[in-house]
Amino acid sequence: MVWIVSDGNPGHYNQSRAVAEAVSDARGWMVEWVTVRPRYRGFLRPLIYRMVNTFADRMGMSMARRLFAIEALPPSRPSMVISSGGTTAVFNVLAASEFGCPNFFLGRPPLRFDRFSRILLSEEAGDEPNAVHLPFLPTPVTPELAEEAGTVLRREIGAGDSPLWAMLIGGSSRSHRYDENDWRELAAGMNRLAARYGGRWLITSSRRTGAVAEDILRREIDSEAIADATWWCSNPRPVVPAYLGASNVAFCTQDSLTMLTDAMAAAHPVFSLHPDMVVFDEGAEMFRSYLERHEGARRIRRVPIADLGQLDLDLFSGFEPVRESIKNQIYEGYVRDLLDETI
């Protein structure tokens, strides 16, 4: 059995889910979710981290129950524990210590790296123990999943064989700043492409997009150019795999590496759209290198939002889409060997 320790964050959820599903597919293990919330306040975190770094082998689940509010524990002991998000790291380590099983962490944990069997990083691992550098963020989206969901969606909306394009929309972040003009340019570019090629859009915004941006897009995108839309502020729905699978090509604002990776995982050409204001400071080096690596491999093409309407959608020959499931690549390359050694 795989225990996924969750903090409720959707991005962390999907990354952990992707690795767990790959393990489940390969080994037939059950997957159980354990949602936890720290009982301790932020100023106590350094003390808790020092205690776990030093005494985790003596603490186990009795201490985990004191430190965390736990919705429910699975009835069976885990053969593997996995989590993402700093607030899950302590529970991850204590559970693995209690049950004597390997534990995996996605991202850079607030604890010593050697408290985990393996750290899966999207940035360069350096000399840290037990850390490996992943070529992709883990994603549960696969070409097969997207195609199946997309086929159902096309049938439901009566799209037939007409061209559809996915548009995954994020919002302002530390490195990307959108203003109202960016959203107007995005709408104008989408209208121009639809008029030129006769395609229609499958649009989903996200938690980060915000009501102001959604209002501009809903008002200014030609309604006849929209095949289906999900506006997160008013009616959030989990539509990304279906939208990607139903589409001939995907567009994604590049502020969200999670959405961008989902788009790549569906095995279609991907245009990565960015606003005028993009600032990669020292803390965003991983973000920059991720974009550059995948553009260099011709999996994505970066385009300013202002140039969207001028794209030539007949020229897809420059893309090299991902063909093999990303989650399976991560399992085979970075997870399977450790499980083979320890289980």
Side-chain angles (χ1 to χ4, degrees):
M1 174 178 288
V2 183
W3 278 18
I4 300 178
V5 185
S6 173
D7 59 3
N9 180 289
H12 298 158
Y13 167 94
N14 280 326
Q15 290 189 42
S16 298
R17 172 187 161 199
V19 178
E21 284 183 353
V23 173
S24 178
D25 292 344
R27 293 177 175 259
W29 290 357
M30 296 273 298
V31 176
E32 293 281 359
W33 289 89
V34 183
T35 301
V36 301
R37 292 182 300 279
R39 298 184 191 273
Y40 51 87
R41 297 183 180 274
F43 68 89
L44 289 175
R45 285 178 185 171
L47 174 61
I48 300 298
Y49 295 157
R50 286 197 295 272
M51 289 174 55
V52 174
N53 279 334
T54 306
F55 302 113
D57 296 338
R58 307 177 198 174
M59 297 168 73
M61 289 299 296
S62 60
M63 181 59 71
R65 290 184 176 90
R66 296 180 183 179
L67 295 176
F68 292 88
I70 307 167
E71 289 190 2
L73 284 177
S76 300
R77 58 188 299 130
S79 298
M80 168 185 171
V81 177
I82 183 169
S83 71
S84 178
T87 60
T88 70
V90 168
F91 188 93
N92 181 321
V93 168
L94 295 181
S97 175
E98 172 78 16
F99 297 108
C101 64
N103 61 329
F104 291 75
F105 191 84
L106 296 160
R108 188 170 287 274
L111 300 174
R112 283 182 0 213
F113 277 41
D114 62 3
R115 280 299 179 186
F116 301 87
S117 305
R118 185 152 295 168
I119 308 286
L120 306 176
L121 291 173
S122 298
E123 58 194 275
E124 292 298 332
D127 296 328
E128 298 281 10
N130 303 334
V132 296
H133 175 225
L134 300 180
F136 297 94
L137 294 179
T139 170
V141 176
T142 66
E144 297 77 18
L145 172 67
E147 181 179 5
E148 181 179 350
T151 299
V152 172
L153 177 64
R154 276 185 169 270
R155 184 168 59 248
E156 289 177 347
I157 64 176
D161 295 326
S162 63
L164 297 177
W165 309 315
M167 176 63 76
L168 313 184
I169 303 170
S172 291
S173 65
R174 175 179 174 177
S175 55
H176 292 67
R177 292 288 184 267
Y178 296 87
D179 58 27
E180 293 186 6
N181 187 60
D182 291 312
W183 300 123
R184 292 191 179 95
E185 287 186 330
L186 179 63
M190 293 169 69
N191 288 338
R192 284 194 290 269
L193 289 180
R196 187 185 313 155
Y197 293 99
R200 291 186 299 156
W201 294 97
L202 298 169
I203 306 167
T204 181
S205 58
S206 65
R207 292 183 306 148
R208 190 185 291 158
T209 308
V212 172
E214 287 189 6
D215 287 344
I216 292 172
L217 295 170
R218 296 177 78 165
R219 184 172 61 249
E220 300 198 12
I221 299 173
D222 184 351
S223 61
E224 294 185 358
I226 300 176
D228 196 53
T230 297
W231 303 107
W232 199 259
C233 285
S234 57
N235 184 30
R237 297 183 294 161
V239 296
V240 169
Y243 279 10
L244 292 171
S247 299
N248 309 94
V249 59
F251 297 79
C252 180
T253 61
Q254 72 175 32
D255 53 272
S256 173
L257 295 185
T258 297
M259 290 197 304
L260 195 65
T261 305
D262 288 346
M264 287 191 284
H268 291 311
V270 179
F271 288 99
S272 173
L273 306 176
H274 60 83
D276 289 336
M277 180 61 72
V278 179
V279 179
F280 292 119
D281 57 22
E282 291 183 2
E285 185 55 38
M286 183 279 287
F287 204 114
R288 183 209 297 270
S289 65
Y290 194 84
L291 293 171
E292 291 177 347
R293 179 168 69 253
H294 291 296
E295 185 171 42
R298 300 191 296 180
R299 300 184 184 106
I300 65 173
R301 186 178 301 167
R302 287 191 283 176
V303 177
I305 286 176
D307 295 344
L308 173 62
Q310 311 305 317
L311 285 178
D312 186 345
L313 297 187
D314 293 324
L315 298 178
F316 288 153
S317 59
F319 284 97
E320 292 289 343
V322 176
R323 299 298 182 188
E324 182 185 352
S325 163
I326 288 175
K327 69 179 185 181
N328 288 345
Q329 290 184 52
I330 292 173
Y331 171 76
E332 291 293 339
Y334 307 96
V335 176
R336 178 179 177 177
D337 63 329
L338 191 146
L339 293 182
D340 286 345
E341 293 172 4
T342 57
I343 302 298

